[in-house]
Amino acid sequence: MKLLKKCISYFLTGVGFGSTSYLAILTFVYPKVAPTPIGFISVFIMSGLIGLLSMIFETDLPFLIALIIHLAGSFIFFILMMIISNFALSPVTIGLFFLIYLIVWAVVILMQVNTVHKINERIKKRNSNKS
């Protein structure tokens, strides 16, 4: 049951990042392109699978190897999503993939730094109450 909860959490986190990216691209890069049902479904599924793929960072693999596998797997899911949705695959869309990949990583790192900061604050507060 614990593994199922973790998988659902990773899947939904991937969906959150993917759907936000999809809507941002449609809004700012391709404003005349409307979302389609097949586009929505493919982004939902592929983003969720990329989220599941992120579980690789919890393995004993060295971080760089896990990152390369995650990047390659994410790119494959991106290509599949592009094919399923009948989106044009071009240097621009590939560049957008890598830009979004970097932005998502920046957001994840900022979220982790924020979490560590909150934990450290709680520890300091707890330690100061003991004194």
Side-chain angles (χ1 to χ4, degrees):
M1 191 64 168
K2 191 175 181 180
L3 178 62
L4 180 62
K5 276 185 173 181
K6 183 183 253 185
C7 288
I8 291 170
S9 176
Y10 272 82
F11 187 90
L12 292 177
T13 299
V15 169
F17 280 116
S19 60
T20 301
S21 301
Y22 178 63
L23 289 175
I25 288 170
L26 288 182
T27 301
F28 299 112
V29 181
Y30 301 108
K32 294 181 181 180
V33 176
T36 63
I38 193 72
F40 169 80
I41 292 167
S42 68
V43 167
F44 185 90
I45 292 170
M46 295 306 162
S47 297
L49 292 175
I50 290 170
L52 284 174
L53 183 60
S54 298
M55 293 174 76
I56 195 166
F57 294 108
E58 293 188 12
T59 66
D60 292 332
L61 286 173
F63 178 78
L64 185 58
I65 300 297
L67 181 62
I68 291 168
I69 292 169
H70 186 266
L71 175 60
S74 297
F75 189 68
I76 290 168
F77 287 135
F78 166 76
I79 297 294
L80 287 172
M81 188 257 327
M82 295 294 284
I83 292 168
I84 291 168
S85 301
N86 291 319
F87 292 143
L89 192 58
S90 68
V92 171
T93 56
I94 292 171
L96 279 171
F97 166 81
F98 286 108
L99 177 64
I100 289 168
Y101 193 84
L102 289 173
I103 291 169
V104 169
W105 263 105
V107 169
V108 167
I109 290 169
L110 288 173
M111 289 169 54
Q112 288 178 342
V113 166
N114 187 39
T115 300
V116 168
H117 179 71
K118 286 180 181 180
I119 291 170
N120 287 339
E121 288 298 316
R122 288 181 187 156
I123 292 171
K124 284 180 188 177
K125 188 175 181 179
R126 187 177 306 145
N127 288 341
S128 66
N129 288 339
K130 290 181 180 180
S131 300

